[in-house]
Coordinates of all heavy atoms in Angstrom, one line a residue:
P131 N 88.6 122.5 10.7 CA 87.8 121.6 11.6 C 86.3 121.4 11.1 O 85.4 121.9 11.8 CB 87.9 122.2 12.9 CG 88.0 123.7 12.6 CD 88.7 123.8 11.3
A143 N 99.5 115.5 10.1 CA 99.9 116.1 11.3 C 101.2 115.3 11.8 O 102.2 115.9 12.2 CB 98.8 115.9 12.4
R153 N 114.3 117.2 14.0 CA 115.5 118.1 13.8 C 115.5 119.2 14.9 O 116.0 120.3 14.7 CB 115.4 118.7 12.4 CG 115.8 117.7 11.3 CD 115.6 118.2 9.9 NE 114.2 118.3 9.7 CZ 113.7 119.0 8.7 NH1 114.5 119.7 7.9 NH2 112.4 119.1 8.5
R171 N 83.0 126.4 16.7 CA 84.1 126.3 17.7 C 84.3 124.9 18.3 O 85.4 124.5 18.5 CB 83.7 127.3 18.8 CG 84.8 127.6 19.8 CD 85.7 128.6 19.3 NE 86.9 128.8 20.2 CZ 87.9 129.6 20.1 NH1 87.9 130.4 19.0 NH2 88.9 129.6 20.9
Y202 N 94.1 140.0 8.6 CA 94.0 139.7 7.2 C 93.6 141.1 6.4 O 94.1 141.3 5.4 CB 92.9 138.7 6.8 CG 93.2 137.4 7.6 CD1 92.1 136.6 8.2 CD2 94.5 136.9 7.8 CE1 92.4 135.5 8.9 CE2 94.7 135.7 8.5 CZ 93.7 135.0 9.1 OH 93.9 133.9 9.8
R203 N 92.8 141.8 7.1 CA 92.4 143.1 6.5 C 93.6 144.0 6.3 O 93.7 144.7 5.2 CB 91.3 143.8 7.3 CG 90.9 145.2 6.7 CD 89.7 145.9 7.5 NE 88.7 144.9 7.8 CZ 88.3 144.6 9.0 NH1 88.9 145.2 10.1 NH2 87.4 143.7 9.3
A230 N 85.5 128.7 -20.4 CA 85.8 128.1 -21.7 C 85.3 126.6 -21.7 O 85.3 126.0 -20.7 CB 87.3 128.1 -22.0
N232 N 86.5 123.9 -22.6 CA 87.4 122.8 -22.2 C 87.8 122.8 -20.8 O 88.6 122.0 -20.3 CB 88.6 122.8 -23.1 CG 89.4 124.2 -23.0 OD1 88.9 125.1 -22.3 ND2 90.6 124.2 -23.6
R270 N 103.5 135.3 -15.7 CA 104.9 134.7 -15.7 C 104.8 133.5 -14.8 O 103.9 133.3 -14.0 CB 105.9 135.7 -15.2 CG 105.8 136.1 -13.7 CD 106.9 137.1 -13.3 NE 106.5 138.0 -12.3 CZ 106.5 137.8 -11.0 NH1 107.0 136.7 -10.6 NH2 106.1 138.7 -10.2
T275 N 110.4 124.2 -5.6 CA 110.8 122.8 -5.6 C 110.1 122.2 -4.4 O 110.4 122.6 -3.2 CB 112.3 122.7 -5.5 OG1 112.9 123.4 -6.6 CG2 112.8 121.2 -5.5
R288 N 97.8 132.3 -16.9 CA 97.2 131.3 -17.8 C 96.5 130.2 -17.1 O 95.4 129.7 -17.5 CB 98.4 130.7 -18.6 CG 97.9 129.9 -19.9 CD 99.1 129.2 -20.5 NE 99.7 128.3 -19.5 CZ 101.1 128.1 -19.4 NH1 101.9 128.6 -20.3 NH2 101.5 127.2 -18.5
L301 N 84.0 136.9 3.8 CA 84.9 135.9 4.3 C 86.3 136.0 3.6 O 86.3 136.1 2.3 CB 84.4 134.5 4.0 CG 83.3 133.9 5.0 CD1 83.1 132.4 4.7 CD2 83.7 134.1 6.5
D311 N 99.3 134.0 8.0 CA 99.5 133.3 9.3 C 100.8 132.5 9.3 O 101.5 132.6 10.3 CB 98.4 132.3 9.6 CG 97.1 133.0 10.0 OD1 97.1 134.2 10.3 OD2 96.0 132.4 9.9
E319 N 108.5 125.7 7.3 CA 108.4 124.4 6.6 C 106.9 124.0 6.6 O 106.3 123.9 7.7 CB 109.2 123.3 7.3 CG 109.0 122.0 6.6 CD 109.8 120.9 7.2 OE1 111.0 120.7 6.8 OE2 109.3 120.2 8.1
A329 N 97.7 125.0 -5.1 CA 97.5 126.3 -4.6 C 98.8 127.0 -4.2 O 98.9 128.2 -4.0 CB 96.6 126.2 -3.3
E338 N 105.4 137.1 -2.3 CA 106.1 138.1 -3.0 C 105.5 139.5 -2.9 O 106.2 140.4 -2.6 CB 106.1 137.6 -4.5 CG 107.2 138.2 -5.3 CD 107.1 137.7 -6.8 OE1 107.2 136.4 -7.0 OE2 106.8 138.5 -7.7
D355 N 92.8 103.5 0.4 CA 92.5 102.3 1.1 C 93.4 101.1 0.5 O 94.1 101.4 -0.4 CB 91.0 101.9 1.1 CG 90.5 101.6 -0.3 OD1 91.3 101.4 -1.2 OD2 89.3 101.6 -0.5
R364 N 83.8 110.9 4.1 CA 82.5 110.3 4.5 C 82.7 108.9 5.1 O 81.8 108.3 5.6 CB 81.5 110.3 3.4 CG 82.0 109.6 2.2 CD 81.0 109.7 1.0 NE 81.5 109.0 -0.1 CZ 82.4 109.6 -1.0 NH1 82.7 110.8 -0.8 NH2 82.9 108.9 -2.0
D369 N 87.4 108.0 10.9 CA 87.7 109.1 11.7 C 87.9 108.6 13.2 O 87.7 107.4 13.5 CB 86.6 110.2 11.6 CG 85.3 109.9 12.4 OD1 85.4 109.1 13.3 OD2 84.3 110.6 12.1
I392 N 107.7 104.9 7.0 CA 108.7 105.2 8.1 C 109.0 104.0 8.9 O 110.2 103.9 9.4 CB 108.0 106.3 9.0 CG1 107.6 107.5 8.2 CG2 108.9 106.7 10.1 CD1 106.6 108.4 9.0
E395 N 107.9 97.6 9.5 CA 106.8 96.6 9.8 C 105.7 97.3 10.5 O 105.8 98.4 11.1 CB 107.4 95.5 10.7 CG 108.0 96.1 11.9 CD 108.7 95.1 12.8 OE1 108.5 93.9 12.6 OE2 109.3 95.5 13.8
C396 N 104.5 96.7 10.3 CA 103.3 97.3 10.9 C 103.3 96.9 12.4 O 102.9 95.8 12.8 CB 102.1 96.8 10.2 SG 100.6 97.8 10.5

Side-chain angles (χ1 to χ4, degrees):
R153 285 170 292 161
R171 187 88 187 179
Y202 307 139
R203 180 173 317 118
N232 60 352
R270 69 176 147 89
T275 303
R288 192 189 60 213
L301 281 191
D311 287 342
E319 180 178 272
E338 199 180 296
D355 67 12
R364 59 181 179 278
D369 82 17
I392 303 164
E395 51 183 354
C396 196

